[in-house]
Amino acid sequence: LVPRPSIARRANQAGIVISCMYALFSLGAHTYADQLFKRHLADQGLTVQDSITGATPFNTLLWRHVALTKTDILVGYFSIIGDDPQHPVRFDRVPRNQHLLDNIKTQRNVRAIQWFSKGFWIAQEKGDQLVMSDLRFGEFRQHDTDPPDQWQYIFAWQISSDPDVLVQQVQDIRDTGAAFRSLWRRLSGKHLQP
């Protein structure tokens, strides 16, 4: 007599198989998206110093690519299920504004952000404040067509003249529903439609 596997054991085995399949799919999707982004950058004649590809929140179907150039950061999205891989990826150009740091580039707080962000930072003047943001972790957009100066970055810091002070900027997301609808449109490929 061979004992029958318990329901718990079968559920455990099914969970392991499903999680392994998800991990393999994620790895394959990442490799595919990363190669696609790099091909589209080259096809558009864009030279980059470094780049990273990552999945957007809560899924492995919509991928985001951040590419560092000499003066800008390029941000592009590709949906495995919604976008045509032959259609050129649109890269939004975000100015790094390095000139805003000319007088303070040796400050410890500025250098800390440059180090933490691995070079994927931008500087912006917002009112009377200087803000540095790390673009690796994404942004909130209310609408797909918002220009980069309206994006709100997940990691952003106010830079003070005191080199020992680094204050994380609190994001004011007034309409999270609009941000998630924008993400959904990107996932489904509808952001390309007029």
Side-chain angles (χ1 to χ4, degrees), residues 135-165:
L135 270 62
R136 295 175 301 157
F137 298 100
E139 75 278 343
F140 290 104
R141 301 183 193 189
Q142 297 298 314
H143 306 284
D144 298 331
T145 56
D146 285 348
D149 63 343
Q150 292 180 12
W151 300 355
Q152 294 189 50
Y153 300 99
I154 294 171
F155 286 105
W157 298 269
Q158 297 171 9
I159 304 299
S160 79
S161 58
D162 183 345
D164 294 322
V165 174

Side-chain angles (χ1 to χ4, degrees), residues 163-180:
D164 294 322
V165 174
L166 192 57
V167 178
Q168 187 164 7
Q169 186 180 31
V170 177
Q171 304 305 332
D172 181 21
I173 310 299
R174 294 174 191 213
D175 189 355
T176 55
F180 278 106

Side-chain angles (χ1 to χ4, degrees), residues 21-34 36-37 53-65 76-85 89 183-191:
M21 289 173 54
Y22 180 77
L24 286 173
F25 172 78
S26 299
L27 181 62
H30 176 269
T31 301
Y32 173 73
D34 189 56
L36 180 129
F37 282 123
T53 299
T56 57
F58 313 119
N59 76 92
T60 54
L61 300 173
L62 179 61
W63 294 85
R64 179 178 182 267
H65 192 76
Y77 286 86
F78 178 76
S79 170
I80 291 175
I81 61 172
D83 291 334
D84 178 355
V89 172
L183 187 66
W184 177 254
R185 282 190 301 276
R186 287 186 176 281
L187 177 64
S188 64
K190 293 181 180 167
H191 66 283

